[in-house]
Amino acid sequence: MLSVHTSPLHQPGTGDAGGMNVYIVELARRLAAIDIEVEIFTRATTGALPPTVELAPGVLVRHVDAGPYEGLAKEDLPAQLCAFTHGVMQVWAGHRPGHYDLVHSHYWLSGHVGWLAAQRWGTPLVHAMHTMAKVKNAALAAGDTPEPAARVIGETQIVRAADRLIANTAEEAGELVRHYESEPHKVAVVHPGVNLDRFRPAPPHQHLAATALDVYRETSPETSPEAVAASRAAARERLGLPQHALVPLFAGRIQPLKAPDVVLRAVAHLLTEHPSLRDRVVLPVVGGPSGSGLAKPEGLQKLAARLGIADLVQFRPPVGQERLADWYRAASVLVMPSYSESFGLVAAEAQACGTPVIAAAVGGLPVAVRDGVSGFLVDGHDPADYARMLHRFVTAPDLAARMGASAARHAQSFGWDAAAAATADVYGAALHERRGRLRSTHG
């Protein structure tokens, strides 16, 4: 596997680390569990880590020196692809011939390294876009920076070169065919997964109050509204959040693409329409600035002050996955008004924890969120529309628990084991096709 611009060892929610990091780590672990050994090549961003790190049995992370460890923006990385490729080739030269059976590249920067490596080694290239420049540029947030033409050209080349392309959803598969003229037979749809052991309505070994524990034990499965409500109460106690507050949560990288400003404006609109709710709303924002958001890292705090809701917003830095799961559990609802999402892992994780989602009806979110069952989909990014959805959770106090129970059940279909098995099938098809071509060539 190739992941040039972000390491699977990085904390999601910081810098360029996000859903793709989680995707690569979880997929690699599950592939190793079904006897597919994985080596992940990524760019070294600190001298503190050794050249190789065992992430899990059968999963090795290799750090490649390519450019300075720190201070290199994602936009500057194309100039380091030659150095990165050289590092990959050096490792390969130390192995016996045929050591690598297949190359799986993630994101367009990795795709260019994968293109060369796969040709040099005589292996298939499987590529996952994760996001696409043409799709992002068609749905830019106000003030966001368009993706450069060089990326569009690069993605087009990779689509042509790859033996197989993995898309998160049928819509993304259609976009690959429509925008990049991919051959339809080369595109396979594999939904990303969720770590259902970590993201669940109640964490393992959770210590609930006696009454809540009785409810939890008596309900089967744990995805009943009563169990979800009990888990939410316990999570709020752990995080110091008021029990009866409306807690809309934003979790993710703080950048225009993810539209955290829409969440703040929606809460401000809700309070303008219903001033009596002011003492009953807490808005946690869990994540760090990223991408074009790095230019104005304090922008969201200043917006909260201008909207008059600074006292209601809790800005929290990115947290580990165990802690993030607790933030999901504690929330009344996750709000995800992104302008573009290839899938929306955050939405799937929150639902797995028993929390409904209000999301923009873009990209893969209509697959991740079942409208009216596990959450609500909103057309567009008008804060008033999101405020109206938030108000539904005020007028129906049991809605968060009822919809959260449905969300937890819905998320059960997004397990990583299924994603790994489907990915292994894609690998098998690519290898079979490659061997068939070799036989016909030499026949």
Side-chain angles (χ1 to χ4, degrees), residues 82 139 149 297 364 398:
C82 183
D398 64 336

Side-chain angles (χ1 to χ4, degrees), residues 1-10 16-25 28 38-45 60-64 66 74 77 81 84 88 103-114 126-128 130:
M1 284 195 190
L2 298 166
S3 179
V4 172
H5 85 283
T6 178
S7 169
L9 303 179
H10 285 169
D16 290 314
M20 193 174 95
N21 295 59
V22 177
Y23 183 106
I24 293 170
V25 168
V38 180
E39 291 188 15
I40 305 168
F41 288 82
T42 191
R43 197 178 76 85
T45 54
L60 202 64
V61 176
R62 293 189 180 275
H63 295 109
V64 178
K74 188 164 65 173
L77 284 174
L81 291 184
F84 189 91
V88 172
V103 178
H104 186 172
S105 52
H106 297 269
Y107 192 66
W108 77 280
L109 293 169
S110 303
H112 273 264
V113 181
V126 174
H127 181 73
H130 292 281

Side-chain angles (χ1 to χ4, degrees), residues 53-69:
V53 175
E54 188 182 52
L55 182 67
V59 182
L60 202 64
V61 176
R62 293 189 180 275
H63 295 109
V64 178
D65 285 327
Y69 289 144

Side-chain angles (χ1 to χ4, degrees), residues 10 40 48 95 173 221 225 231 235 247-248 290 311 331 345 359 375-376 393 405 418 421:
H10 285 169
I40 305 168
H95 290 301
S231 177
V247 181
S290 171
D311 57 319
L345 270 182
F376 297 111
F393 289 90

Side-chain angles (χ1 to χ4, degrees), residues 58-360:
V59 182
L60 202 64
V61 176
R62 293 189 180 275
H63 295 109
V64 178
D65 285 327
Y69 289 144
E70 296 177 358
L72 197 66
K74 188 164 65 173
E75 293 71 29
D76 298 326
L77 284 174
Q80 299 301 326
L81 291 184
C82 183
F84 189 91
T85 305
H86 172 72
V88 172
M89 291 300 165
Q90 273 192 315
V91 173
W92 168 72
H95 290 301
R96 56 171 176 74
H99 178 74
Y100 297 113
D101 298 299
L102 180 138
V103 178
H104 186 172
S105 52
H106 297 269
Y107 192 66
W108 77 280
L109 293 169
S110 303
H112 273 264
V113 181
W115 180 12
L116 190 149
Q119 281 200 333
R120 181 72 181 85
W121 303 341
T123 66
L125 172 63
V126 174
H127 181 73
M129 285 289 205
H130 292 281
T131 60
M132 291 177 268
K134 287 185 177 182
V135 175
K136 288 179 77 172
N137 287 347
L140 273 185
D144 209 354
T145 310
E147 294 295 322
R151 177 176 173 184
V152 175
I153 295 165
E155 289 177 342
T156 305
Q157 292 168 327
I158 295 158
V159 167
R160 199 175 298 130
D163 294 85
R164 285 290 187 277
L165 296 156
I166 290 182
N168 288 330
T169 62
E171 181 178 352
E172 187 183 343
E175 288 165 346
L176 282 163
V177 174
R178 194 163 60 252
H179 294 309
Y180 293 89
E181 298 178 2
S182 171
E183 298 172 60
H185 85 275
K186 288 183 15 177
V187 186
V189 176
V190 178
H191 295 320
V194 175
N195 185 330
L196 297 173
D197 294 326
R198 177 178 291 130
F199 297 105
R200 47 185 290 189
H205 318 301
Q206 176 179 333
H207 299 293
L208 296 174
T211 52
L213 186 58
D214 291 341
V215 170
Y216 190 71
R217 279 179 178 151
E218 287 168 12
T219 54
S220 181
E222 70 174 33
T223 52
S224 70
E226 295 83 3
V228 166
S231 177
R232 179 169 294 124
R236 289 190 177 189
E237 189 173 335
R238 287 192 294 275
L239 292 169
L241 294 170
Q243 287 294 342
H244 302 294
L246 174 70
V247 181
L249 169 69
F250 175 86
R253 288 173 289 162
I254 296 173
Q255 60 183 121
L257 176 75
K258 303 293 184 182
D261 63 298
V262 173
V263 185
L264 268 63
R265 295 180 196 278
V267 168
H269 185 92
L270 176 70
L271 298 179
T272 300
E273 296 284 310
H274 307 280
S276 62
L277 293 177
R278 185 168 189 93
D279 296 334
R280 293 178 49 204
V281 176
V282 177
L283 171 56
V285 175
V286 181
S290 171
S292 51
L294 289 166
K296 299 176 181 175
E298 306 299 320
L300 212 57
Q301 285 91 330
K302 290 177 179 176
L303 176 62
R306 285 201 304 276
L307 293 171
I309 58 169
D311 57 319
L312 308 181
V313 185
Q314 294 187 9
F315 288 100
R316 298 298 175 99
V319 294
Q321 294 219 307
E322 297 289 350
R323 189 72 165 173
L324 180 60
D326 245 8
W327 279 107
Y328 289 144
R329 293 181 194 109
S332 308
V333 60
L334 175 85
V335 189
M336 200 171 180
S338 305
Y339 285 87
S340 176
E341 287 286 348
S342 60
F343 183 68
L345 270 182
V346 168
E349 289 170 353
Q351 290 172 105
C353 290
T355 298
V357 177
I358 299 172

